Amino acid sequence: MLVTYKNRRGKTYYLHEGRTKTGKPKYHFSLKNNGELVDEIPDGYEIYEHPGTGGVFLRKKLPQLILNIEAPHKNLWVKYYSLKNISK
């Protein structure tokens, strides 16, 4: 199955693979569905849509700063520390 992504503007992008001068793989998204298309996203990468332009990119996964187990408590801590700084 080809890697495709439909952005918020309704355009469908296709993931292509190319090679650098040294022979390493290079990935990019295009609106064209011809050429050397990729069947799956490479390990360690994720699809990213630029919030301003709607452009689609393949980027390395970013480290998760807040663990899933910590997420429910995040809002409580933000509220606690914001109130603590206001009372000074």
Side-chain angles (χ1 to χ4, degrees):
M1 173 115 185
L2 299 176
V3 177
T4 60
Y5 182 83
K6 192 173 215 174
N7 72 352
R8 67 175 190 272
R9 296 181 180 183
K11 294 182 179 178
T12 302
Y13 287 84
Y14 300 91
L15 183 60
H16 294 263
E17 180 180 9
R19 294 284 172 190
T20 62
K21 290 180 182 179
T22 60
K24 295 179 182 177
K26 177 175 72 169
Y27 302 98
H28 69 279
F29 277 94
S30 173
L31 294 171
K32 299 177 183 175
N33 63 354
N34 54 359
E36 194 171 333
L37 299 174
V38 178
D39 291 332
E40 61 182 32
I41 298 174
D43 289 337
Y45 287 87
E46 66 183 356
I47 298 173
Y48 173 74
E49 181 178 340
H50 190 275
T53 63
V56 181
F57 306 97
L58 192 69
R59 70 176 185 184
K60 289 188 177 182
K61 286 186 179 177
L62 300 175
Q64 187 175 3
L65 299 176
I66 298 175
L67 301 176
N68 292 335
I69 198 166
E70 299 171 331
H73 306 290
K74 173 184 62 170
N75 293 336
L76 294 173
W77 284 108
V78 168
K79 189 173 185 179
Y80 171 77
Y81 281 110
S82 64
L83 291 175
K84 187 175 181 182
N85 288 335
I86 291 173
S87 64
K88 284 185 177 182

